[in-house]
């Protein structure tokens, strides 16, 4: 992958161009998971994660209730489905993985975290004795193959868009892999986790079979996957990494019906479920443990900034001041969200409060509209038919109507709504989104919406503005910045621009409720990303 100044700039600015393929929140919605991750992320990356205090029953079987359908294959080059990605946490490994709870990096197939050689060179040494589930050793050839198949444009991998900084991957010797970068990238350690290492021989022999039932090097082997039924796993006894399976087997029951999931955990058929319905949470808490965890997952408002009157940021700001977020969250989501005070939620380690924070101020909303020369405004508000979004949509309409914005709701399936947007039918849209399942660094999360050719060019149409150019400059500056404090400050400048311009900006960040039988599971923790994880979790003795 030869580089030049122009090629590098193009690569950076086309980051996540495939984001529109899966839409905002099409496969990324609610979350639960369980694990305890390594405490160390650099000094001692191989620290064994701590589980709970009880002695584990290593011969036990974990049963879980899964909310999402098995709608895609498992190949980590292409999958973006909630259930397949969660399954792959247990079956496959990257050189680096992000802990599902803390969202911090730890060495997985790497013997330790990547080593920086110079500004554009990194090296990773493989874990000694690592093998795939078929017994074959994990080699540097497998690592090079795994990265190259993601980077190859012919494969149209979504994950290539997370790696615009990567020029080449090569085996230095039989234990070490060298990464050459197009430009300095301070987030290399976190970002390299998006590529999972697969066995070259098995994948090349039958790619379709691999997509159906992958072979990895993780603590569990995938033994079956049946649509609308279940996914089964068994312990991989030869696993020698830091997170061995603490159960003999797992069965994930695919229960997309919310009532069926609730009944399954109440009856003891399963020990944990994800995506607890907000209305059932209090009642369910009488029988099992229920906890909501703050996530990055957000509800955003987006405008077509090329259409009057939305070309004027005062009009866009008026919409935010019109909304009573406290009422929307307490009534529509039963308190399971927090109003946005920045692009990131407060719990994120890179959170910086934005310079503009929107409060419910109908008078200010009306004044902003008047100052922009808008005396009357009728809009069609696009929303998706995600259950919790449908719950808050009427409340949003009520608040907009109250400040003189006559609002017609258009609620529909995500794919259909985004087709309207892409065909030029957007005025205003409210929709969910959460790319944090792919990674947790602000560069990735920001570029999901504010870079590339899909969102800023085709959807909210803000890419021709000087503010967008400044956001792009700051993102590039932050990505290359080696000093964490300066990097955080740079991202804070981006948050300030976005909070003032609001071409697309969060209204709230969701809390994600999960439920589990505490007496039956040891080490279970609910998580802020889509999926279920049973790393470091066992049945109790």
């Amino acid at each position: 992958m030869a580089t030049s100044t122009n090629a590098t700039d193009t690569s950076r600015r086309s980051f996540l161009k495939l984001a529109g393929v899966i839409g905002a929140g099409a496969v990324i919605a609610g979350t639960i998971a369980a694990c305890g991750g390594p405490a160390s992320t650099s000094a001692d990356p191989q620290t064994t994660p701590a589980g709970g205090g009880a002695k584990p029953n290593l011969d036990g079987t974990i049963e879980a209730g899964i909310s999402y359908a098995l709608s895609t294959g498992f190949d980590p080059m292409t999958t973006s489905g909630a259930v397949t990605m969660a399954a792959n946490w247990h079956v496959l490994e990257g050189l680096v993985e992000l802990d599902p709870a803390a969202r911090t990096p730890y060495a997985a197939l790497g013997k330790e975290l990547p080593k920086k050689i110079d500004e554009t060179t990194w090296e990773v040494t493989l874990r000694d004795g690592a093998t795939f589930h078929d017994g074959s050793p994990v080699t540097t050839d497998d690592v090079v193959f795994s990265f190259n198949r993601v980077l190859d444009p012919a494969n149209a991998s979504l994950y290539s868009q997370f790696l615009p900084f990567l020029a080449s991957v090569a085996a230095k010797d039989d234990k070490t892999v060298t990464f050459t970068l197009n430009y300095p990238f301070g987030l290399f350690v976190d970002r390299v986790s998006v590529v999972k290492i697969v066995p070259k021989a098995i994948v090349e022999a039958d790619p379709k079979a691999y997509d159906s039932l992958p072979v990895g090097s993780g603590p569990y082997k995938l033994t079956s996957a049946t649509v609308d039924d279940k996914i089964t796993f068994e312990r991989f006894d030869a696993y020698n990494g830091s997170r061995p399976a603490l159960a003999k087997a797992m069965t994930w029951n695919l229960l997309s019906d919310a009532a069926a999931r609730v009944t399954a955990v109440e009856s003891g058929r399963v020990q944990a479920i994800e995506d607890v319905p907000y209305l059932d949470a209090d009642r369910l808490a009488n029988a099992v443990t229920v906890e909501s965890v703050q996530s990055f997952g957000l509800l955003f408002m987006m405008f077509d900034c090329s259409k009057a009157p939305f070309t004027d940021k005062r009009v866009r700001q008026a919409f935010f001041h019109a909304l009573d977020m406290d009422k929307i969250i307490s009534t529509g989501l039963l308190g399971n969200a927090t109003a946005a005070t920045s692009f990131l939620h407060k719990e994120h380690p890179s959170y910086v409060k934005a310079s503009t924070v929107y409060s419910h101020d109908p008078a200010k909303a009306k004044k902003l509209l008047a100052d922009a020369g808008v005396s009357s405004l009728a809009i069609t508000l696009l929303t998706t038919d995600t259950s919790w979004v449908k719950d808050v949509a009427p409340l949003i309409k009520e608040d907009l109507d109250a400040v003189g914005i006559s609002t017609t709701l258009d609620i529909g399936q995500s794919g259909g709504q985004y087709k309207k947007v892409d065909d030029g039918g957007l005025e205003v849209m409210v929709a969910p989104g959460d790319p944090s399942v792919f990674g947790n660094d602000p560069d990735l999360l920001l570029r999901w919406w504010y870079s590339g050719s899909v969102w800023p060019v085709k959807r909210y149409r803000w890419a021709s503005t000087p503010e967008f150019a400044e956001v792009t400059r700051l993102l590039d500056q932050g990505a290359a910045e080696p000093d964490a404090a300066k990097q955080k400050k740079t991202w804070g400048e981006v948050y300030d621009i976005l909070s003032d311009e609001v071409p697309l900006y969060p209204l709230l960040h969701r809390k994600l409720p999960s439920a589990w039988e505490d007496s039956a599971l040891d080490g279970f923790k609910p998580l802020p990303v889509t999926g279920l994880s049973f790393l470091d979790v066992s049945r109790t003795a």
Side-chain angles (χ1 to χ4, degrees), residues 50-74:
K55 182 179 180 181
N57 174 14
L58 298 181
D59 291 326
T61 296
I62 294 172
E63 296 94 0
I66 306 298
S67 172
Y68 305 102
L70 181 58
S71 57
T72 69
F74 293 87

Side-chain angles (χ1 to χ4, degrees), residues 64-68 229 253-258 260-261 264 269-270 273:
I66 306 298
S67 172
Y68 305 102
D229 185 13
N253 298 281
L254 304 179
L255 304 173
S256 59
D257 180 74
R261 288 196 309 281
R269 176 189 170 197
V270 302
I273 64 169

Side-chain angles (χ1 to χ4, degrees), residues 22-46:
I22 66 172
V27 299
I28 307 170
T31 255
I32 80 163
C35 84
S40 171
T41 62
S42 57
D44 185 16
Q46 284 295 93

